[in-house]
Amino acid sequence: MLNMILLTYGLAVLSGILIGSISMPMVTSRSIMFALTMLHSILGGAILGIYLNIVLGMSIPVPVTATLTAIGLSILAAELIERGFAEDVAIALSVSIATTITIVFSFLAAYLSSTAIAEAWLYIAGTSAIATIDDFSRILTASIIVIPLIHIISRELKYIAFDEDGAKALGLSVRFYRYLFYSLIALAASILSSTIGVLVTHVILAVPGAVALRFSKRGSPLISYLTAIGLMVAGYLFARVINIPPSGGVGIFSAMLILIMMAWRRHA
Amino acid sequence: MQGSVESHEVTFRFGEKLALEDVSFKISSPFYCVVMGPNGAGKTTLLKIMLGLLKPQNGWVKIYGYDPVEDAREVRELTGYVPQIVNIDQRVPITVEELVAMGALSKTIPPRMITRGIKDKIREVLDLVEIDDPSALFTELSGGLRQRALIARALIKNPKLLLLDEPFSMLDFDMKCQIAELLYELHKKFKIDIFLVAHELSPCIQLEPIVILLNKRVYAIGRAEEVLRLENLKRAYPGLTEVPAGFILGEDHA
């Protein structure tokens, strides 16, 4: 029992660290909408993976299909932006493809298998109320890959967000950094979705970075990390107390924090 | 290395929309050059072609003998770029030090750390542009200091040519004069060639620059007093009206 509790809260803290690392550069590089719509791709990829596994009997782990789909559709959107399409148009196209995948394969999976929709729902709501070593290992692996790389390229991401033409004129490969950043977000978000669920990932992704920018003019990464960890742990605790899924607890605390920020802004 | 910047019959279209047509000029170093024209004249497009960010559909540009696309590395070494202030995202929390470091760090590989050596160089260029506090946020600076910080970012690379996009926009008249004089000082003291685009000339006219009158194509080129004649201005600025006290141009180009 103690091991399970430690594992669950360990997972919450680790997920918080991973979220804190990507949230801040997402907010400063104006990629939040992009990241949020990426969750459609993750859901589409997950349902495609479930269909491939359950209906066609292929043994590809669902997070792998979800990650690859998210990376593929993100790179498609990034390439469209590079080729001069408006960002909202590129994002809309990516979302429409992801939604089509979700609708078609959820229908096919439900039609051909009685357990497919239940498994898809776990991806939406999350499974981490009962965290497993497997969940922990996946988040740990994603953290080991994503966090150092994000820190290595954070300065370049800031420069590109600040002055894209200037960055290009200085010789930075904007396309490379954009692809890498979106791929890292896709990896982190899809692994998070496979444990804490698409919904809560959607809810919490932007909040730590926004809080860090709100309460520190320079956008302190430490505030982003602490906010993400705090929201995850408080959300998990609260969910346990009132007996709801952890995603609900994290969602409630995130919404409360956003309301506090709005009140603070009005007060200021 | 050839000591000139040359454009030969450059034509550029955004889709069907013509931005530049047969733009040709050659200016020899040392120069302090102002490209003047109304909004939509293709001034920024010309700068982007000179930087290698856009490739003309026809014609070519040479920066001291180098092609900006094929010899991108050499052109990047030789040039410093100062963007139009409205084209940068001022919501990004970046300090003056980080901004200026961007110019020096671009020559290194990731992870790009601000070393003591780079800090010293930053201090040097900030002294040159008269900014005291490297830790200040860019967003907290006045318009004039923002422009100076962007110029410092370009200067830290020790460029031979400074390309500036509307450096006087959104500044009051005194600030415009100060920036024009700073650029002139850089030109005279450090032998840096200046190539700036602006829709107004007043702050630097006293500094006797070379003027290129552009509105998709070159209407005149030469010393300011030769170029800024009514007949030339009327051709380059379609909305120009003559009044006894001087000129009123179609937009805010007076």
Side-chain angles (χ1 to χ4, degrees):
Chain A
M1 181 65 183
L2 183 65
N3 279 352
M4 207 180 81
I5 291 172
L6 282 176
L7 198 58
T8 303
Y9 286 97
L11 183 79
V13 170
L14 196 55
S15 301
I17 294 171
L18 183 56
I19 291 162
S21 74
I22 58 173
S23 185
M24 187 69 213
M26 274 187 338
V27 171
T28 50
S29 65
R30 314 282 154 201
S31 306
I32 284 293
M33 282 313 294
F34 197 94
L36 295 183
T37 52
M38 189 186 287
L39 294 168
H40 288 267
S41 313
I42 291 168
L43 187 58
I47 288 171
L48 174 64
I50 290 164
Y51 175 80
L52 294 176
N53 279 358
I54 293 181
V55 180
L56 299 186
M58 297 167 79
S59 52
I60 306 167
V62 174
V64 171
T65 323
T67 306
L68 291 178
T69 309
I71 290 174
L73 289 175
S74 305
I75 287 178
L76 171 72
E79 185 58 31
L80 289 173
I81 294 167
E82 281 288 321
R83 290 178 185 226
F85 281 81
E87 193 172 333
D88 50 355
V89 173
I91 289 172
L93 186 68
S94 162
V95 169
S96 63
I97 294 172
T99 309
T100 306
I101 293 171
T102 306
I103 292 167
V104 170
F105 286 98
S106 59
F107 171 77
L108 289 175
Y111 187 70
L112 298 169
S113 162
S114 56
T115 58
I117 286 297
E119 195 168 327
W121 176 250
L122 283 180
Y123 222 87
I124 294 170
T127 60
S128 59
I130 36 165
T132 62
I133 288 284
D134 190 40
D135 290 333
F136 194 86
S137 318
R138 266 184 284 154
I139 296 281
L140 185 63
T141 308
S143 301
I144 289 169
I145 297 168
V146 171
I147 295 171
L149 279 173
I150 285 283
H151 279 275
I152 286 172
I153 65 169
S154 62
R155 198 179 290 281
E156 287 81 353
L157 294 175
K158 198 184 249 191
Y159 289 159
I160 292 166
F162 178 74
D163 173 18
E164 186 170 330
D165 280 340
K168 282 180 183 167
L170 286 167
L172 289 184
S173 172
V174 171
R175 176 176 282 166
F176 168 77
Y177 284 107
R178 195 169 271 152
Y179 280 13
L180 180 58
F181 183 46
Y182 288 169
S183 299
L184 292 173
I185 295 174
L187 176 65
S190 70
I191 299 297
L192 284 165
S193 298
S194 70
T195 55
I196 63 173
V198 169
L199 289 179
V200 75
T201 307
H202 196 285
V203 167
I204 200 179
L205 220 45
V207 178
V211 169
L213 265 186
R214 182 71 206 125
F215 293 109
S216 124
K217 281 182 185 173
R218 285 155 205 265
S220 159
L222 183 65
I223 295 179
S224 177
Y225 278 113
L226 292 177
T227 305
I229 295 167
L231 282 175
M232 288 300 292
V233 173
Y236 268 62
L237 270 172
F238 186 66
R240 191 175 180 81
V241 170
I242 64 166
N243 200 24
I244 57 169
S247 51
V250 176
I252 289 167
F253 273 87
S254 299
M256 278 168 53
L257 196 54
I258 291 167
L259 289 173
I260 290 168
M261 271 172 57
M262 285 169 65
W264 179 284
R265 176 170 286 191
R266 189 170 292 175
H267 180 68
Chain B
M1 189 199 305
Q2 292 173 20
S4 67
V5 168
E6 190 175 1
S7 170
H8 179 74
E9 294 178 0
V10 165
T11 297
F12 190 89
R13 284 187 168 80
F14 290 103
E16 293 296 305
K17 196 179 169 206
L18 183 71
L20 294 170
E21 184 180 27
D22 288 335
V23 170
S24 295
F25 60 83
K26 182 175 182 178
I27 38 177
S28 297
S29 183
F31 58 81
Y32 183 107
C33 177
V34 182
V35 179
M36 193 183 160
N39 288 337
K43 304 184 296 292
T44 299
T45 304
L46 177 62
L47 269 193
K48 287 187 176 179
I49 289 171
M50 292 171 74
L51 285 162
L53 301 180
L54 294 173
K55 194 174 178 184
Q57 283 98 10
N58 192 42
W60 48 260
V61 162
K62 295 279 182 194
I63 307 291
Y64 306 117
Y66 293 111
D67 183 294
V69 176
E70 284 169 19
D71 310 312
R73 186 185 293 268
E74 287 80 359
V75 171
R76 277 202 299 269
E77 290 285 318
L78 288 164
T79 56
Y81 171 55
V82 180
Q84 196 171 351
I85 213 140
V86 294
N87 288 344
I88 57 179
D89 190 337
Q90 298 183 42
R91 295 166 299 181
V92 176
I94 191 166
T95 64
V96 170
E97 182 179 79
E98 284 178 299
L99 171 65
V100 178
M102 184 178 175
L105 292 173
S106 61
K107 291 180 179 176
T108 64
I109 54 163
R112 295 182 163 97
M113 313 293 282
I114 302 177
T115 58
R116 183 171 289 275
I118 290 175
K119 274 184 188 258
D120 290 343
K121 281 178 80 177
I122 292 170
R123 190 67 265 171
E124 254 175 58
V125 288
L126 288 182
D127 284 345
L128 205 61
V129 299
E130 295 171 3
I131 293 182
D132 299 326
D133 183 9
S135 65
L137 277 176
F138 184 79
T139 47
E140 289 173 342
L141 301 177
S142 67
L145 286 179
R146 285 180 191 189
Q147 200 64 58
R148 285 170 185 269
L150 290 169
I151 292 170
R153 180 184 69 172
L155 286 179
I156 201 168
K157 293 172 63 201
N158 295 322
K160 169 145 182 60
L161 170 64
L162 212 49
L163 297 159
L164 303 101
D165 195 353
E166 298 280 2
F168 310 123
S169 67
M170 303 180 74
L171 299 178
D172 62 37
F173 188 75
D174 285 347
M175 284 291 177
K176 285 174 189 184
C177 293
Q178 285 177 24
I179 296 293
E181 275 161 23
L182 169 68
L183 295 174
Y184 191 67
E185 190 189 331
L186 294 172
H187 171 58
K188 283 288 173 195
K189 208 165 154 185
F190 300 98
K191 311 288 177 213
I192 297 172
D193 291 329
I194 306 288
F195 190 94
L196 67 89
V197 305
H199 63 250
E200 58 186 351
L201 185 62
S202 47
C204 37
I205 198 165
Q206 59 179 346
L207 306 170
E208 299 175 353
I210 297 168
V211 177
I212 298 175
L213 202 54
L214 181 83
N215 189 355
K216 301 195 192 315
R217 61 194 188 86
V218 174
Y219 282 89
I221 179 168
R223 311 299 311 179
E225 65 274 15
E226 298 160 5
V227 170
L228 299 176
R229 293 173 183 276
L230 185 59
E231 61 270 26
N232 290 336
L233 289 169
K234 271 185 170 173
R235 286 192 300 151
Y237 289 86
L240 183 84
T241 310
E242 191 182 359
V243 294
F247 304 124
I248 295 173
L249 305 183
E251 302 166 59
D252 60 337
H253 305 303

